[in-house]
């Protein structure tokens, strides 16, 4: 039966595919693709775990039989029989094999995928006794997973799903079904794992428009819906699903008519993309001759390829924290970071690369197990970004040295996140000097860098003149500026409706920052999600903004807006919006 789940549209386009539910079970297991040659080993792991559990239950049964004579544990014995039967059930074993062979899931993933499929059949049973057997099945699978956990996988779990395995999956014509990811929640690090993966779209129960998970989805340029609340419970493993990333709707089990309609929409958006591609080499200049800089936001050095393909004139934000995440506390050393930054610099072929120092915390925990939210009441107000860096000077100096050294290979700008206090500014600049001193002492080469500050807390916007005294340029992080100005958590879908980029207070802070920066002859960019939102381009141009940084996938659509704009007219519009109680009404009219 067709039904729809509503959420928040975060990455446009239409994806149609079969649902892959990740960690939707209470059994949280690793999910990764295995290489074709590893398939037999994975099947063998499941088989030997099953044999071990059968033997284990057999032993318990034996003990029970001995006790039975005296105490009569009849019910328990019957339960064990059920478990043994389930373990040897064809549907479970063949199903698991199917996920490993046909989809190349690792054994644990295959097991819980099959568990969910069978559990669904139990849910649909009329007989309450049979329905309750689902709990037995879960126990059986839990036992199997426990044994498998104890038995090291011959397939070492990779830090990220193997690219090769994923590419093989794409190339393999036995697997021609597009897959879409459905999960309760995905951390930004999880998302990064799925980058360049086989998934055509994704849906999560939680998250807001500018949660980092949504941001990574946008950077992957695949349709996505977040904040879909119950999606991971209502969508079942392997259901056909349509993700409408423009409307924020997920359609489950669509009828042929709906499928045809969305198939058409999908083709249309492909045509639109091809049309936009023609603007790739057109300079971004407005109708009245104003040059506009369109830069790329990246998460990893390899993203520079899509930045160049989209015609970006540089990287306006390299979120370096993605190098630090999901490493179980093993932070990248100076050499590893240096190599990554050099790769980004070389990738941009002489165009500038803005490297933001590490911004972990809040919804970007270092590790999944160490979700900041678990430890702190208000993680977004806690030890994140520059606060963490200043609290860990050795780590920070390591990163600064790596960035300064990479600057010897091409133009690099250094960007500092979340500053609010002048003492933080002074401390940061002193550490940059110290890093240079350390490199001098070691006789290591380094290059010049422009140093910029992010304006992402209201305090910074209100004391912008102090910032301008210390920094070469500014970059407005609207995602956080909106969060902190309006006091709403950017990852909390229950307050997502209050996340308003056009709130007068936000616009005033932005306008003030842009004007103050320009008065000092300094560049001011916007690198938050607002910069890549075509509905905001005219307003931002009207506010005087001439430097935008966004995901490569958004650059051409924003360029199209720029090419159609007359900034003199837009200045009048922006002034009216700034003076209005409800700027959205002015802008719409
Ligand atoms: C922002 O806050 O707007 C920004 C660009 O930084 P991040 O989204 O990584 O917090
Ligand atoms: Mg930010």
């Amino acid at each position: 039966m067709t039904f729809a789940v509503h959420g928040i549209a975060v990455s446009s386009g239409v994806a149609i595919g079969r649902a892959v539910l990740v960690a939707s079970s209470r059994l949280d297991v690793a999910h990764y693709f295995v290489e074709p040659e590893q398939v037999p080993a994975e099947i063998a792991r499941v088989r030997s775990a099953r044999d071990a559990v059968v033997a284990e239950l057999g032993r318990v049964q034996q003990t029970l039989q001995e006790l039975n004579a005296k105490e009569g544990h009849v019910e328990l014995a019957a339960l064990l029989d059920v478990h043994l039967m389930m373990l040897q059930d064809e549907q479970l074993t063949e199903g698991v094999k199917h996920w490993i062979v046909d989809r190349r899931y690792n054994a644990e993933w295959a097991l819980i995928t099959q568990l969910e499929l069978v559990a669904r059949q139990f849910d649909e049973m009329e007989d309450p006794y049979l329905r309750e057997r689902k709990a037995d099945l879960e126990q059986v699978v839990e036992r199997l997973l426990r044994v498998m956990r104890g038995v090291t996988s011959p397939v070492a779990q990779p830090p990220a799903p193997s690219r090769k395995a994923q590419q093989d999956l794409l190339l393999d014509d036995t697997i021609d079904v597009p897959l879409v990811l459905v999960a309760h929640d995905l951390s930004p690090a999880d998302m990064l794992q799925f980058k360049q993966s086989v998934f055509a779209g994704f849906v999560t129960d939680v998250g807001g428009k500018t949660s980092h998970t949504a941001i990574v989805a946008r950077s992957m340029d695949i349709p996505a819906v977040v904040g879909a609340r119950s999606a991971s419970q209502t969508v079942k493993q392997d259901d056909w699903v349509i993700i409408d990333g423009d409307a924020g709707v997920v359609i489950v089990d669509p009828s042929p008519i709906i499928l045809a309609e969305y198939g058409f929409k999908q083709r249309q958006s492909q045509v639109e993309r091809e049309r936009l591609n023609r603007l790739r080499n057109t300079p971004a200049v407005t109708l009245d001759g104003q040059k506009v800089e369109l830069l790329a936001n990246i998460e990893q050095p390899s993203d520079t390829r899509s930045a160049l393909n989209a015609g970006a004139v540089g990287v306006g934000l390299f979120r370096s924290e993605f190098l630090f995440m999901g490493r179980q506390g093993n932070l990248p050393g100076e050499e590893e970071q240096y190599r990554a930054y050099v790769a980004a610099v070389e990738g941009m072929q002489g165009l500038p690369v803005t490297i933001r120092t590490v911004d972990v915390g809040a919804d970007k925990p270092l590790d999944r197990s160490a979700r900041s939210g678990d430890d702190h009441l208000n993680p977004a107000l806690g030890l994140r970004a520059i606060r963490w860096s200043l609290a860990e000077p050795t780590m920070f100096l390591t990163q600064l040295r790596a960035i300064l050294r990479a600057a010897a290979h091409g133009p690099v700008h250094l960007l500092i996140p979340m500053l609010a206090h002048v003492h933080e500014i002074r401390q940061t600049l002193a550490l940059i000097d110290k890093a240079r001193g350390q490199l001098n002492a070691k006789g290591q080469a380094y290059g010049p860098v422009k140093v910029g500050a992010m304006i992402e807390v209201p305090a910074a916007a209100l004391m912008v003149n102090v910032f301008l005294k210390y920094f070469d340029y500014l970059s407005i992080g609207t995602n956080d500026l909106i969060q902190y100005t309006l006091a709403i958590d950017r990852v909390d879908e229950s307050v997502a409706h209050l996340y308003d980029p056009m709130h007068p207070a936000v616009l005033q802070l932005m306008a003030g920052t842009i004007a103050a920066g320009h008065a000092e002859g300094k560049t001011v960019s916007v690198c938050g999600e607002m910069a890549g939102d075509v509905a905001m381009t005219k307003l931002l141009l009207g506010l005087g903004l001439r430097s935008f940084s966004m995901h490569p996938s958004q650059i051409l659509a924003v360029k199209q807006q720029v090419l159609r704009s007359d900034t003199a007219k837009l200045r009048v519009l922006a002034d009216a919006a700034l003076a209005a109680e409800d700027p959205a009404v002015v802008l719409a009219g």
Side-chain angles (χ1 to χ4, degrees):
M1 196 192 61
T2 304
F3 64 95
V5 182
H6 293 260
I8 302 163
V10 292
S11 184
S12 78
V14 171
I16 305 174
R18 284 203 181 265
V20 173
L21 273 99
V22 170
S24 57
S25 150
R26 62 201 162 93
L27 311 165
D28 195 7
V29 300
H31 298 75
Y32 53 97
F33 294 106
V34 298
E35 309 282 347
E37 60 274 18
Q38 293 164 330
V39 164
E42 284 303 275
I43 296 175
R45 278 180 68 219
V46 184
R47 199 171 297 137
S48 65
R50 191 197 56 190
D51 293 347
V53 176
V54 168
E56 185 185 315
L57 294 184
R59 279 194 298 278
V60 179
Q61 219 172 21
Q62 177 73 34
T63 323
L64 267 185
Q65 270 161 12
E66 286 160 18
L67 285 174
N68 241 358
K70 300 175 227 152
E71 298 170 30
H73 294 270
V74 184
E75 278 181 15
L76 206 52
L79 206 62
L80 278 178
D81 280 340
V82 172
H83 283 200
L84 277 164
M85 225 168 58
M86 281 177 168
L87 267 173
Q88 284 151 20
D89 180 57
E90 279 288 292
Q91 206 191 348
L92 187 67
T93 42
E94 284 307 301
V96 172
K97 207 165 138 191
H98 154 72
W99 298 115
I100 299 175
V101 173
D102 297 339
R103 292 275 175 83
R104 311 249 175 83
Y105 292 179
N106 63 307
E108 290 86 349
W109 185 5
L111 199 56
I112 60 153
T113 302
Q114 189 57 19
L115 164 71
E116 277 163 14
L117 259 190
V118 182
R120 180 184 178 185
Q121 292 166 8
F122 277 106
D123 283 340
E124 284 160 6
M125 284 174 182
E126 298 267 308
D127 182 335
Y129 172 80
L130 288 177
R131 237 185 1 247
E132 278 161 23
R133 298 287 63 77
K134 181 176 132 181
D136 294 311
L137 179 69
E138 285 173 348
Q139 282 171 16
V140 164
V141 170
E142 257 177 283
R143 263 179 195 280
L144 283 169
L145 286 172
R146 217 173 306 131
V147 172
M148 280 160 75
R149 222 167 282 143
V151 180
T152 26
S153 167
V155 183
Q157 184 190 332
S162 145
R163 288 269 158 79
K164 183 173 174 302
Q166 297 188 10
Q167 275 153 10
D168 286 351
L169 266 171
L170 280 175
L171 297 174
D172 189 337
D173 41 291
T174 59
I175 302 160
D176 50 4
V177 201
L179 305 176
V180 299
L181 197 66
V182 182
H184 174 68
D185 188 15
L186 289 168
S187 73
D190 292 334
M191 281 302 294
L192 208 60
Q193 281 207 352
F194 287 117
K195 211 162 172 165
Q196 289 167 26
S197 74
V198 290
F199 298 109
F202 93 97
V203 184
T204 59
D205 294 347
V206 298
K209 203 173 176 80
T210 57
S211 60
H212 285 92
T213 305
I215 288 173
V216 180
R218 224 166 287 136
S219 81
M220 289 160 76
D221 199 15
I222 59 167
V225 172
V226 302
R229 300 191 179 209
S230 58
S232 74
Q233 275 146 40
T234 45
V235 180
K236 299 288 185 305
Q237 203 69 258
D238 228 33
D239 272 347
W240 274 103
V241 166
I242 296 174
I243 299 175
D244 183 339
D246 297 297
V249 177
V250 181
I251 301 165
V252 187
D253 200 10
S255 67
I257 296 177
I258 297 177
L259 262 181
E261 199 181 307
Y262 274 96
F264 176 69
K265 215 171 154 193
Q266 216 175 17
R267 284 189 296 280
Q268 262 186 330
S269 74
Q270 187 53 35
V271 170
E272 173 62 13
R273 266 164 205 255
E274 280 157 21
R275 207 177 51 76
L276 279 177
N277 260 335
R278 290 190 225 129
L279 298 180
R280 189 178 169 272
N281 298 316
T282 309
V285 180
T286 63
L287 291 172
D288 55 329
Q290 294 283 319
K291 281 196 193 127
V292 177
E293 183 181 49
L294 300 181
L295 303 157
N297 288 358
I298 64 170
E299 273 91 42
Q300 46 195 12
S302 58
D303 293 340
T304 51
R305 237 171 298 138
S306 38
L308 286 184
N309 282 340
V313 296
V315 168
L317 175 65
F318 177 177
R319 288 184 162 96
S320 70
E321 54 274 14
F322 282 86
L323 299 172
F324 289 65
M325 280 154 38
R327 304 172 57 111
Q328 281 75 43
N330 255 331
L331 300 185
E334 183 176 330
E335 286 312 306
E336 183 182 341
Q337 287 191 57
Y338 166 70
R339 280 195 303 276
Y341 304 142
V342 170
V345 169
E346 287 177 347
M348 287 310 286
Q349 305 174 4
L351 295 170
V353 176
T354 307
I355 304 174
R356 180 176 69 184
T357 58
V358 62
D359 179 6
V360 289
D363 71 325
K364 281 181 292 191
L366 274 179
D367 288 301
R368 191 135 72 121
S369 54
R371 282 256 159 117
S372 334
D374 295 343
D375 315 318
H376 305 284
L377 227 40
N378 291 306
L381 304 181
L383 195 67
R384 66 170 284 205
I386 191 64
R387 300 171 181 182
W388 185 61
S389 295
L390 294 177
E392 299 282 345
T394 310
M395 176 286 298
F396 193 37
L397 282 166
T398 305
Q399 176 168 42
L400 291 172
R401 285 193 306 271
I403 296 174
L404 291 169
R405 285 174 59 200
H409 297 259
V412 168
H413 305 330
L414 190 54
L415 182 60
I416 314 297
M418 229 191 132
L419 289 160
H421 299 266
V422 75
H423 61 80
E424 288 173 332
I425 297 177
R426 292 197 192 116
Q427 231 181 315
T428 302
L429 296 178
L431 283 167
I432 297 172
D433 275 344
K434 185 167 179 180
R436 283 196 192 98
Q438 290 174 334
L439 292 172
N440 282 333
K442 282 196 271 180
Q444 268 177 317
Y446 62 91
V449 290
K450 281 191 177 162
V451 184
M454 290 197 70
I455 302 294
E456 46 186 356
V457 285
L462 291 170
M463 57 186 266
V464 61
N465 285 321
V466 176
F467 275 67
L468 286 163
K469 226 174 93 188
Y470 289 94
F471 291 101
D472 300 317
Y473 69 98
L474 303 176
S475 187
I476 307 178
T478 48
N479 305 336
D480 279 317
L481 187 62
I482 297 167
Q483 157 167 266
Y484 296 127
T485 304
L486 304 182
I488 49 124
D489 189 335
R490 62 195 265 195
V491 295
D492 184 346
E493 70 281 1
S494 66
V495 288
H497 61 290
L498 299 175
Y499 192 92
D500 181 11
M502 275 191 274
H503 190 289
V506 173
L507 295 187
Q508 304 278 354
L509 292 174
M510 292 180 70
T513 304
I514 296 168
H518 289 174
E520 290 291 314
K522 294 189 174 172
T523 302
V524 180
S525 308
V526 168
C527 64
E529 295 304 290
M530 212 171 156
D533 182 346
V534 288
M536 297 291 157
T537 312
K538 288 190 186 286
L539 170 65
L540 294 176
L541 287 170
L543 291 176
L545 191 78
R546 298 293 179 266
S547 175
F548 296 62
S549 193
M550 68 203 83
H551 291 297
S553 62
Q554 297 155 331
I555 288 180
L556 293 174
V558 170
K559 191 188 275 186
Q560 178 171 262
Q561 291 294 316
V562 169
L563 297 174
R564 292 172 178 170
S565 297
D566 179 335
T567 58
K569 285 188 190 148
L570 293 176
R571 165 61 71 185
V572 177
L573 179 78
D575 284 345
L578 278 173
E581 262 180 32
D582 195 347
V585 174
V586 175
L587 294 165

